[in-house]
Amino acid sequence: MSGQTRPGEAIVIAGGGIAGLSLALALKQALGAAFAVIVADPAFAREARPDTRAYAVAAAAQAMLASLGIWERIADGAQAMTEMVVSDSRSGDAIRPVFLTFDGEVEPGQPFAHMVGSGALIEALTAACRAAGVALRGEGVTRFDSGDAGVGVVLAGGETLRARLLVAADGARSRLREQAGIGWVGWDYGQSGLVATIGHERPHGGRAVEHFLPSGPFAILPLSDGGRLGHRSSMVWTERSGNVPALLSLDEEGMLAEIERRFGLELGEIALESPVSAHPLGFGVARRFVGERLALLGDAAHLIHPIAGQGLNLGLKDVAALAEVIVDAARLGLDPGAADVLEGYERARRFDTVAMGAVTDGLNRLFSNDATPLRLVRDLGLGLVDRLPGLKRFFIREAAGVAGAPPRLLRGEAL
């Protein structure tokens, strides 16, 4: 711990993913030498593995990354979404009628989202944290002991760090959440997300496509140009988990044939630019987002279906809200780990998180089936939305994260 910092004048973040690193950078930039900011994650001690996942970064999250100085580091590799198309069909249907389209701009010249590579984003955040003076520790947090004066955070090597606040950003299976006795309400969908980068010979034009198929949504999300065929998209294929082992056992030719049945022929020849990986899908929300000198962040607080592409953006909303209450408290000379400060974070994030979880859960249940009455209802609903510009604009602004009164970072303002 920094010798310039009084004992305990520190904030420890357990977990070095996108949410944890974003929070660390925001806090360090705002608080400077007044607080040590420490991120503990065993991944820092390992050689980085290639990460081919990509995320839809909403307009508000982009504004936050720009205010932190991150967007300029990754903008060249980002791909704007200029259009969103939604269809509902069976995988064998020759024609896939389009029921809903969205213009990709939340404001003139401002796309509602960009596709960004996970690896590039984490690399940029890690470099920025190091440059700002965030301490990156290659050990996990094994346990903690909270009290009135602070929290003792024990690292895997046995060292104890004294801090004002511990932030659990250690994923949906958070051990720190369990140690704090915070309950978790959730369920498994019996689905897995098959993810890969797909090369194709024709340009996508910035169009994102979501085909609703009986086993779940099949999303084609535009990436920046490159690869063997000149153009690339990210595939997020939701499939019943029982079918996944057989699919993953296919050779490349067989896998491409299965993908092509769902991908369609609009973009011409396709090719695999990365291995196909499978990720079990589920829903979960913590009964509380805070404990004694503990705040849950990102997947440690909530887990939602990727049907709306909002998982990362929910985590970055957590970052913006938590950073704001911590910084405001510290500047007033208050204890950033105090209960009333953390309750402000929970109030800011609880309703939005539960609402988004309910929406994605409902959409998945409505669309991941082949029941004819439900197909008629959902297709009628999509058609009605498509004919109501005001409602479409409302949905776009919600997806972009600019509706209501977001925290300062999500408005692109410095803390």
Side-chain angles (χ1 to χ4, degrees), residues 11 13 23 27 31 35 165 167 295 319-332 334-337 341-342 345 415:
I11 296 168
I13 301 167
L23 177 65
L27 294 177
L31 298 176
F35 275 79
L165 175 66
V167 178
V319 169
L322 183 55
E324 188 165 301
V325 299
I326 290 173
V327 170
D328 287 351
R331 285 177 175 162
L332 291 172
L334 303 176
D335 183 348
V341 174
L342 298 183
Y345 164 62
L415 290 176

Side-chain angles (χ1 to χ4, degrees), residues 172-187:
R173 297 182 179 180
S174 171
R175 293 182 178 179
L176 301 180
R177 184 187 68 228
E178 292 180 4
Q179 185 182 335
I182 298 175
W184 179 260
V185 178
W187 47 82

